[in-house]
Amino acid sequence: MTPVFLQNLRGWLAALVRLYSTRIQVFAQKAQLQVVEQQSLDQQTQIVQLERQLDARIEQQHLLLQEVRHQLQNLKIQNDCLDQELRLLKVQTKSEATAIAPNNFDFDRFYTAFEDRFRGSMEDIKSRLQVYLPYVERAIVETQTNRVLDIGCGRGEWLELLQAQSISAVGVDMNTDMVRKCNSRGLEAHCADAITYLRAMPKASVAVVTGFHIIEHLPFPTMIAMIDAAFEALCENGIVIFETPNPENLNVGACTFYYDPTHLHPIVPAFAEFAVLQRGFKVAEIVRLHPRHAEQLQDSSEVALRLNEIVYGPQDFAVIAKK
């Protein structure tokens, strides 16, 4: 071998050694990379497990918060009932001290007798209320919720009518005498303030909220609070029905409205429609009902037609609004 060949051979061997050294380094770095990747996967798994644990803790805290809210609502109802009893006790004490009210005056029984005298028979009222059944049945289908709440259920005509249709209905009224009579006929009714009861209900839990001849008894802020509370209690596509005397009929606006001394002021249809829409309902309908059964003017003149409308026209109207 020549010196030149030996020199070249040494160069080739040195290059081969460097090549193998580089390959060893590459294999070592690849192994380190695989270790890092495995550690990253392990960390991701731990992160997922921690996220699941955190979600479980959040859900547990959410359920606990709901329970606390429910307990607070129950306490609020109890407190409102106690406040009401205290107010009644103060009124009774003041009345006894000043002799303003007659002895043994029972307002609840007095008002029940008033209803029996001026409201009409229970069969007549049930016949009038049948007009609302198609609205209720449609709302039950659209909400998939067979539950109706009647505010100011009174003698229970509406509850009885719904029960006959296999519709689950609950009534609320402040009159203990009327609630007792409803319960005696197998109807579910509770003696409670309507707004307090509505606010204590789970949100979106009923298909229909009704109130027949209720809103004319309420101060304006209370009426708005009732509309808001009903809105919260209703399911999506649920409806509210409020029936009230129609002051468009002159005899109602000037006379029969004031038969009931607890009436505050008449509600006109246009305002009732505006109020429910302004408080969030999507659509509203005014249904005029119960025209007077009397002989109308036969004259076809514009004046006669207008007189027939305002004298013999509908004595009640209902605002029906959809959430």
Side-chain angles (χ1 to χ4, degrees):
M1 296 183 184
T2 64
V4 174
F5 177 78
L6 289 175
Q7 185 176 0
N8 290 338
L9 181 60
R10 291 191 191 96
W12 293 337
L13 289 175
L16 185 60
V17 169
R18 287 194 300 273
L19 177 61
Y20 275 105
S21 177
T22 301
R23 290 190 63 185
I24 291 172
Q25 291 176 1
V26 169
F27 284 134
Q29 291 175 353
K30 186 176 180 180
Q32 290 177 354
L33 181 59
Q34 288 177 340
V35 171
V36 171
E37 289 177 347
Q38 185 61 46
Q39 291 175 346
S40 177
L41 290 173
D42 292 342
Q43 289 176 351
Q44 290 178 5
T45 302
Q46 291 177 359
I47 290 172
V48 171
Q49 292 176 346
L50 289 173
E51 288 177 344
R52 290 175 179 173
Q53 292 174 1
L54 181 60
D55 289 341
R57 289 288 298 276
I58 292 174
E59 179 65 21
Q60 183 180 9
Q61 294 298 321
H62 179 68
L63 293 175
L64 180 61
L65 180 59
Q66 286 183 325
E67 179 63 24
V68 170
R69 286 176 175 171
H70 181 69
Q71 292 177 2
L72 287 174
Q73 288 174 341
N74 289 336
L75 288 173
K76 188 177 186 302
I77 292 175
Q78 294 174 10
N79 183 63
D80 290 341
C81 290
L82 289 174
D83 286 344
Q84 179 187 345
E85 291 176 2
L86 181 60
R87 287 194 298 269
L88 290 174
L89 182 60
K90 287 180 179 179
V91 170
Q92 291 171 1
T93 303
K94 184 176 180 180
S95 298
E96 292 172 0
T98 58
I100 293 176
N103 291 334
N104 302 319
F105 178 71
D106 186 334
F107 176 80
D108 286 355
R109 290 186 179 180
F110 178 90
Y111 200 80
T112 301
F114 170 84
E115 287 268 313
D116 294 339
R117 171 66 178 83
F118 292 100
R119 175 75 167 141
S121 71
M122 294 185 66
E123 289 305 315
D124 287 341
I125 300 304
K126 286 170 68 173
S127 177
R128 294 180 189 177
L129 294 174
Q130 287 183 3
V131 68
Y132 300 112
L133 287 176
Y135 292 96
V136 173
E137 291 167 354
R138 185 161 55 248
I140 289 173
V141 171
E142 292 185 1
T143 61
Q144 296 296 300
T145 304
N146 183 29
R147 188 168 178 80
V148 177
L149 176 68
D150 186 31
I151 299 168
C153 59
R155 299 176 300 187
E157 297 97 336
W158 179 234
L159 296 178
E160 207 163 60
L161 188 59
L162 293 173
Q163 186 182 71
Q165 302 297 319
S166 300
I167 296 173
S168 176
V170 178
V172 175
D173 203 297
M174 295 286 286
N175 189 306
T176 57
D177 187 55
M178 291 186 178
V179 169
R180 183 167 53 249
K181 289 184 176 181
C182 287
N183 295 153
S184 69
R185 303 203 315 277
L187 304 172
E188 184 179 353
H190 305 280
C191 187
D193 174 76
I195 297 177
T196 302
Y197 192 92
L198 281 164
R199 288 174 175 171
M201 295 178 65
K203 291 185 178 181
S205 60
V206 293
V208 182
V209 174
T210 57
F212 300 106
H213 291 254
I214 293 299
I215 58 176
E216 67 272 13
H217 293 263
L218 305 177
F220 171 67
T222 306
M223 183 182 72
I224 297 300
M226 178 174 289
I227 294 173
D228 290 347
F231 185 88
E232 292 297 324
L234 284 170
C235 300
E236 190 69 22
N237 295 319
I239 62 171
V240 65
I241 302 173
F242 289 133
E243 183 184 288
T244 186
N246 182 14
E248 294 173 328
N249 181 304
L250 288 183
N251 188 52
V252 173
C255 180
T256 59
F257 181 85
Y258 300 99
Y259 280 9
D260 189 336
T262 65
H263 283 178
L264 293 184
H265 47 74
I267 308 294
V268 298
F271 174 76
E273 181 180 24
F274 165 79
V276 292
L277 292 175
Q278 200 278 334
R279 302 314 294 170
F281 286 87
K282 293 184 290 191
V283 292
E285 175 185 1
I286 297 296
V287 180
R288 291 171 173 83
L289 303 160
H290 316 137
R292 291 183 63 197
H293 296 291
E295 185 177 354
Q296 299 191 10
L297 300 175
Q298 300 304 312
D299 188 349
S300 61
S301 67
E302 184 176 345
V303 172
L305 293 175
R306 180 57 179 158
L307 282 174
N308 283 335
E309 180 182 346
I310 63 177
V311 175
Y312 301 105
Q315 299 176 89
D316 301 302
F317 77 89
V319 56
I320 304 174
K322 184 176 182 180
K323 179 175 177 179

